[in-house]
Amino acid sequence: KRLLVVESEFANILHQSKRDGNTLSAALRDAWDGTSIRPAVKTCRVWASDPHIGIIGDVTPSELRELMHARELTNGFANRFIFFWAEGDKVNPFPKPTHASVIEGFANRIADVLLFAGADRHVDSDTQRMEFSSEAASTYAKLYRGELRDRSAGEHVTALLDRRAPVLMRLAMIFALTDKTLTIEVQHINAALAWVRYWSDSVKFIFQSALDEVAVAEVDATAKELLRFLKLNSKASRTEIYKVCFQSHVSKDRIDRAIDELLTATPPLIEVESVKGEGRPAKFYKPCAEKAEKADYEHSCGLQPGFGVPWNMRNKAYSANCAEQQNTPQTRMDTDSALITLNSDGDSADVVEGSI
């Protein structure tokens, strides 16, 4: 019922899920959703009710891109995992071992948190109920309507990040529990948001090719220019947008994609107005009257100081809001030689906490 899998070759899971008739992908998706795993077999029926399964896997970027086909991107398998770009930023031929007293002290703190969370009563349901503070609820609501539903990075990247909202909530719950409180505060939301943002940046860096990045940037620039034009002119028809706003120098396909981006934004930035006339109604695009505020981008990158260890996770690259400390590779060759660490876990893990 409770299992933590450490798979140093995550490619094995991807290979297994590609085999005809293999149910591993479906079982992992059910486990993330919290549904009981019941294989449809006639004999030797064995199942797990209310399972808690965590997976920590390592894979190189080239393997991940090669084995992660469109099916995994669209059926919800991939977006149940949190992908993190991981790399070593220190070269030390003779690292010193961590003193036993440090490890013991950290283990005692973890044990205290587990007891507070009711880990000794795991057979019972809902032993601890958690809630948002009013400020945290407001912050999460703004994020849910804004950044967590952003679709501007393209279809494939958006599909991989489709579960940002539940992941952020689960991370915030874990961070609150590590502070031994059942109330999720703003600092827990901000700490979780730092991890979600690094996850988003990692997915974009791994899966977006140079051509994809250029195309996304072009559409984003076109959408911003179109929005400025509509705010100045109140509304405009499709023809006016093409001829007046862009002087007939931007392709109709890019304009269509920009319009779609503005219409499907959360909340929508523009809306369509139909004006009846002779023949078919004329369509005009105009900016929406109100736009929901986005959450403040300034955030801390860790838990409260009292938890014990520095919140840099031993690698500066994991600090999502400390750009000056990151050591991000600049070439695709560097990308293919590094490791991607991913996790779909319900408890604390070495690289990231998630939930399955």
Side-chain angles (χ1 to χ4, degrees):
K1 292 173 69 67
R2 282 153 189 86
L3 175 68
L4 174 62
V5 178
V6 179
E7 177 54 82
S8 59
E9 295 293 338
F10 187 72
N12 292 336
I13 293 179
L14 298 177
H15 278 298
Q16 291 291 331
S17 63
K18 288 172 60 178
R19 291 170 49 192
D20 290 338
N22 190 279
T23 60
L24 177 60
S25 173
L28 290 177
R29 280 178 279 156
D30 287 343
W32 194 92
D33 295 336
T35 3
S36 299
I37 302 175
R38 290 174 173 262
V41 294
K42 293 183 179 179
T43 58
C44 299
R45 295 186 178 183
V46 179
W47 64 86
S49 55
D50 302 321
H52 187 89
I53 300 173
I55 299 176
I56 303 173
D58 295 311
V59 63
T60 61
S62 55
E63 280 186 312
L64 184 62
R65 291 194 301 269
E66 179 182 348
L67 297 175
M68 193 73 73
H69 294 294
R71 181 179 62 181
E72 284 77 19
L73 293 175
T74 57
N75 66 4
F77 173 79
N79 60 34
R80 283 171 168 83
F81 288 89
I82 309 174
F83 294 87
F84 279 100
W85 173 269
E87 63 180 54
D89 67 338
K90 295 178 177 64
V91 179
N92 187 354
F94 303 107
K96 295 181 180 180
T98 304
H99 198 274
S101 61
V102 177
I103 298 176
E104 183 178 356
F106 189 51
N108 290 334
R109 288 175 177 270
I110 293 175
D112 289 342
V113 170
L114 292 176
L115 289 174
F116 174 81
D120 55 336
R121 304 189 301 276
H122 56 81
V123 294
D124 302 324
S125 298
D126 298 329
T127 58
Q128 301 279 23
R129 302 291 294 180
M130 301 188 68
E131 61 182 12
F132 284 102
S133 68
S134 58
E135 295 82 2
S138 176
T139 300
Y140 179 78
K142 292 177 183 178
L143 289 168
Y144 186 85
R145 291 192 295 265
E147 183 177 344
L148 297 178
R149 301 177 68 84
D150 177 53
R151 307 182 64 84
S152 62
E155 181 180 355
H156 287 167
V157 170
T158 299
L160 286 165
L161 300 174
D162 201 37
R163 284 182 166 81
R164 281 171 290 189
V167 167
L168 184 140
M169 184 181 291
R170 295 178 183 192
L171 290 175
M173 291 173 67
I174 291 174
F175 293 151
L177 290 174
T178 56
D179 284 338
K180 293 197 283 190
T181 175
L182 297 179
T183 302
I184 301 172
E185 302 287 354
V186 173
Q187 64 264 28
H188 305 131
I189 295 289
N190 290 338
L193 180 61
W195 285 100
V196 169
R197 284 174 173 164
Y198 190 71
W199 170 29
S200 301
D201 290 341
S202 297
V203 167
K204 292 174 185 177
F205 186 73
I206 297 161
F207 288 95
Q208 274 189 339
S209 66
L211 291 177
D212 291 336
E213 292 174 3
V214 170
V216 169
E218 288 178 343
V219 172
D220 186 57
T222 303
K224 290 179 179 177
E225 180 62 29
L226 173 56
L227 186 59
R228 282 195 294 267
F229 176 79
L230 293 177
K231 287 182 177 179
L232 289 173
N233 296 274
S234 298
K235 64 180 180 180
S237 66
R238 181 71 168 69
T239 303
E240 290 171 335
I241 292 173
Y242 178 68
K243 293 184 177 180
V244 179
C245 178
F246 297 106
Q247 304 295 313
S248 303
H249 292 155
V250 176
S251 69
K252 294 182 179 181
D253 178 66
R254 194 197 300 179
I255 292 175
D256 286 340
R257 292 174 62 187
I259 291 174
D260 288 340
E261 182 176 311
L262 295 172
L263 286 172
T264 58
T266 306
L269 299 176
I270 64 173
E271 57 187 354
V272 183
E273 179 184 275
S274 296
V275 178
K276 294 183 179 180
E278 296 181 2
R280 287 188 296 178
K283 289 185 178 181
F284 290 88
Y285 300 93
K286 63 179 184 179
C288 292
E290 296 181 358
K291 183 174 65 175
E293 296 180 4
K294 288 191 176 182
D296 189 358
Y297 270 58
E298 296 296 327
H299 55 85
S300 60
C301 195
L303 302 178
Q304 294 179 359
F307 184 64
V309 297
W311 190 246
N312 57 14
M313 299 302 289
R314 302 175 315 206
N315 190 329
K316 297 176 185 177
Y318 297 141
S319 298
N321 72 330
C322 304
E324 71 277 6
Q325 296 180 355
Q326 292 184 6
N327 183 24
T328 306
Q330 299 298 316
T331 66
R332 186 61 63 185
M333 183 180 297
D334 292 333
T335 307
D336 292 341
S337 65
L339 284 177
I340 305 303
T341 301
L342 53 151
N343 178 286
S344 190
D345 177 25
D347 293 321
S348 179
D350 184 29
V351 178
V352 65
E353 296 88 353
S355 185
I356 191 169

